Amino acid sequence: MAATRFDLVALGEPLLEFNQVRTDDTTGYRQGFGGDTSNCTIAAARLGARTAYVTRLGDDAFGRMFIDLWQREGVDVSGVGTDADAPTGIYFVTHGANGHEFSYLRAGSAAARMRPGDLPLDLIRATKVLHVSGISQAISANACDTVFAAIAAARAAGARISYDSNLRLKLWPLDRARAVITATITLCDWFLPSLDEAAQLSGVTDPKAILDWCHARGAPMVVLKMGAEGCWVSTRTARAYLRGNAVDAVDATGAGDCFDGAFAARIIAGDTPVAAARYANAAAAMATTGYGAVAPLPRHADVTAFLAIER
């Protein structure tokens, strides 16, 4: 068994972000960084966890920007590969009356071409927690296989599995998404769906019924994220609701990913699931107070100060 070197290793697809910013008379786009599992990894690193990221990037300026970002944030990049024949993905965020909307240029991205043989198994075996998501499973069949192979390697080495379904029906049909996500739920230690996507997957809308559906499909722990309304933390024997935190939100991009990273960081630090979720609730709320998925991610001192005020 490999010696543990990391608190959290995540696998997935990073995407360069262009986020709409409006002033009184103009609309422009601010360049940032995104990709759900990358956001999660950076969030956990800012909150004190030792992290690494596993992906493939294009041999392009955008890929090099990600390497620079992760290195600045203290994220280990030894598991990042380069594909000379595919680009790094891009997405745009626009903001309207119904919230934020995403438009993607990601077809055939380097990350979508990941295969199980590309995995840095020694690195994956050297973590306490592996974090994966449904987006990585949706972008291609071989990327989906890669996620399952990473889970198998991590579990065999004694790591815990963190899983966010992050349902995106633009990437795959609901029936396939439900089948793959359900198969993954049984392999995770904690499952982190959002309310809307969990309702689509389960066919029920009541949070307690959704939690029951998740447990019936093998999830030992479920943290149901409900945005500004807070979250539910549920095991097979106990259940708790935590209210949301009041903030002046301007952009919810990446807030759920921040929650994932914060929750894992606090579980690793020894918090109970309820305490970890309370902390993650606060961190995710703080992440909505600025534009972009990465720039507003908080530091540990900021979250603890915020929680002290909230109490």
Side-chain angles (χ1 to χ4, degrees):
M1 184 179 296
T4 300
R5 294 185 290 123
F6 300 105
D7 296 318
L8 180 139
V9 170
L11 178 152
E13 181 189 35
L15 295 163
L16 200 76
E17 175 188 84
F18 291 94
N19 201 307
Q20 185 182 52
V21 180
R22 292 193 179 104
T23 61
D24 290 340
D25 54 358
T26 62
T27 298
Y29 286 87
R30 179 179 296 160
Q31 186 263 307
F33 299 92
D36 61 337
T37 55
S38 174
N39 301 337
C40 167
T41 308
I42 294 170
R46 287 193 180 182
L47 297 170
R50 296 167 298 163
T51 68
Y53 196 57
V54 176
T55 192
R56 290 181 71 79
L57 297 168
D59 185 14
D60 51 35
F62 294 160
R64 291 185 285 276
M65 290 167 70
F66 267 108
I67 293 292
D68 290 343
L69 168 71
W70 293 323
Q71 289 178 331
R72 290 197 308 270
E73 296 289 348
V75 176
D76 186 281
V77 297
S78 60
V80 177
T82 300
D83 188 332
D85 299 317
T88 304
I90 303 170
Y91 76 105
F92 295 83
V93 187
T94 55
H95 303 276
N98 296 320
H100 56 288
E101 182 177 344
F102 299 92
S103 300
Y104 298 95
L105 295 173
R106 75 194 316 171
S109 73
R113 288 158 54 104
M114 284 190 296
R115 298 182 182 278
D118 297 326
L119 287 172
L121 293 177
D122 286 346
L123 186 149
I124 289 170
R125 292 172 181 140
T127 188
K128 296 176 183 176
V129 173
L130 174 71
H131 178 74
V132 294
S133 90
I135 289 178
S136 304
Q137 295 171 309
I139 55 177
S140 69
N142 48 278
C144 185
D145 292 343
T146 303
V147 171
F148 280 116
I151 290 172
R155 281 169 58 91
R160 289 179 285 181
I161 307 302
S162 167
Y163 181 50
D164 187 333
S165 48
N166 248 340
L167 181 66
R168 298 291 185 271
L169 294 180
K170 291 182 179 180
L171 293 175
W172 54 355
L174 180 58
D175 286 348
R176 173 168 168 77
R178 185 182 291 114
V180 172
I181 290 168
T182 300
T184 313
I185 289 172
T186 65
L187 304 174
C188 72
D189 291 270
W190 56 83
F191 181 42
L192 299 147
S194 71
L195 179 64
D196 290 346
E197 69 191 45
Q200 289 178 294
L201 289 167
S202 65
V204 296
T205 57
D206 177 72
K208 293 180 181 179
I210 288 171
L211 294 171
D212 291 340
W213 182 89
C214 294
H215 288 307
R217 278 141 191 86
M221 184 193 305
V222 185
V223 184
L224 182 62
K225 298 176 290 185
M226 303 194 301
E229 299 303 314
C231 68
W232 280 90
V233 183
S234 179
T235 67
R236 293 189 177 95
T237 58
R239 188 168 287 180
Y241 169 72
L242 302 175
R243 65 176 179 83
N245 302 101
V247 295
D248 294 325
V250 297
D251 181 11
T253 305
D257 309 327
C258 178
F259 187 108
D260 296 351
F263 184 79
R266 294 315 305 168
I267 289 289
I268 293 161
D271 284 4
T272 66
V274 170
R278 182 175 291 111
Y279 180 99
N281 244 356
M286 295 175 73
T288 70
T289 61
Y291 286 100
V294 170
L297 293 173
R299 307 279 178 179
H300 176 64
D302 301 323
V303 180
T304 54
F306 180 84
L307 284 169
I309 294 171
E310 284 286 290
R311 290 195 180 98

